[in-house]
């Protein structure tokens, strides 16, 4: 499933960055927006399946979607843009504004002095993972079982053109599932991914 406000986009493969490109010592308390990708543990296809280019969420996928939407409800300065829950990952865009005063604000990617920072990207992702993991494990009766990989991918969106391309990628992600590197059935993607996954979850 994808979320968009009445807009139609074409697929653009070159905009998707698979590796984290967080900037060291970067000040995330300024204007900006974020492209976030979170992958399931060992890229297990846990949240549903893609049929005819449409993502069909199962019960676990619906929990992920609900909690993603909840982020935009409980945090008044976090605006949700397009997102998609895929079988084993979620893509989405966060817009962080200055509490409705019209100024975008980047959420810090590091928690200051070892303490959580409200509305920081790490805090938002940590709470999302925690809420979904608890609910899914309660249903499966698998307490303590990991649902998500420890890390996540984040890209700072720098301009309107880049924002438009990333929206296109997210919206068209289900249509490209057959060749997605996260798709276990994509042998080519699995072979390409294998060297970088050695020794990792």
């Amino acid at each position: 499933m994808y979320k968009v406000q009445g807009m139609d986009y074409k697929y653009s493969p070159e905009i998707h960055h698979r590796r984290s490109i967080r900037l060291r010592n970067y000040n995330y308390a300024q204007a900006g927006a974020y492209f976030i990708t979170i992958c399931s543990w060992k890229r297990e296809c846990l949240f549903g399946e893609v049929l005819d280019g449409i993502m069909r969420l199962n019960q676990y996928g619906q929990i992920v979607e609900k909690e993603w939407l909840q982020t935009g409800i409980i945090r008044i300065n976090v605006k949700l843009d397009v997102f998609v829950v895929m079988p084993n990952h979620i893509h989405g865009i966060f817009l962080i504004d200055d509490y409705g005063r019209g100024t975008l604000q980047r959420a810090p990617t590091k928690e200051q002095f070892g303490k959580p920072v409200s509305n920081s990207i790490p805090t938002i992702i940590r709470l999302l993972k925690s809420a979904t993991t608890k609910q899914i494990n309660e249903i499966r009766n698998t307490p303590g079982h990991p649902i998500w990989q420890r890390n996540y991918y984040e890209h700072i969106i720098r301009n309107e053109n880049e924002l438009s391309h990333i929206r296109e990628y997210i919206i068209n992600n289900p249509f490209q599932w057959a060749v997605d590197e996260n798709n276990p059935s994509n042998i080519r993607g699995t072979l390409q991914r294998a060297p970088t996954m050695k020794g990792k979850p």
Side-chain angles (χ1 to χ4, degrees), residues 17 19-24 28 153-156 158:
H17 305 279
R19 296 183 180 276
S20 170
I21 55 172
R22 300 185 188 97
L23 302 180
R24 182 175 297 177
Y28 283 75
Y153 302 94
E154 159 225 299
H155 173 68
I156 303 165
R158 302 180 184 279

Side-chain angles (χ1 to χ4, degrees), residues 90-164:
I90 180 171
H91 292 308
I93 297 174
F94 285 142
L95 303 174
I96 314 293
D97 68 26
D98 189 16
Y99 297 95
R101 291 194 287 270
T103 303
L104 286 176
Q105 175 185 356
R106 286 200 180 101
T109 59
K110 292 185 178 180
E111 297 183 346
Q112 298 175 356
F113 310 111
K115 297 181 180 179
V117 177
S118 178
N119 294 324
S120 69
I121 294 297
T123 299
I124 292 171
I125 301 302
R126 177 172 55 82
L127 294 178
L128 174 72
K129 287 181 175 180
S130 176
T132 53
T133 295
K134 180 180 179 180
Q135 294 176 62
I136 292 172
N137 278 337
E138 284 180 351
I139 294 172
R140 301 198 305 179
N141 194 27
T142 54
H145 192 278
I147 300 299
W148 303 100
Q149 291 190 4
R150 288 184 299 173
N151 207 350
Y152 61 92
Y153 302 94
E154 159 225 299
H155 173 68
I156 303 165
I157 301 173
R158 302 180 184 279
N159 54 59
E160 290 294 329
N161 184 60
E162 187 176 22
L163 176 61
S164 177

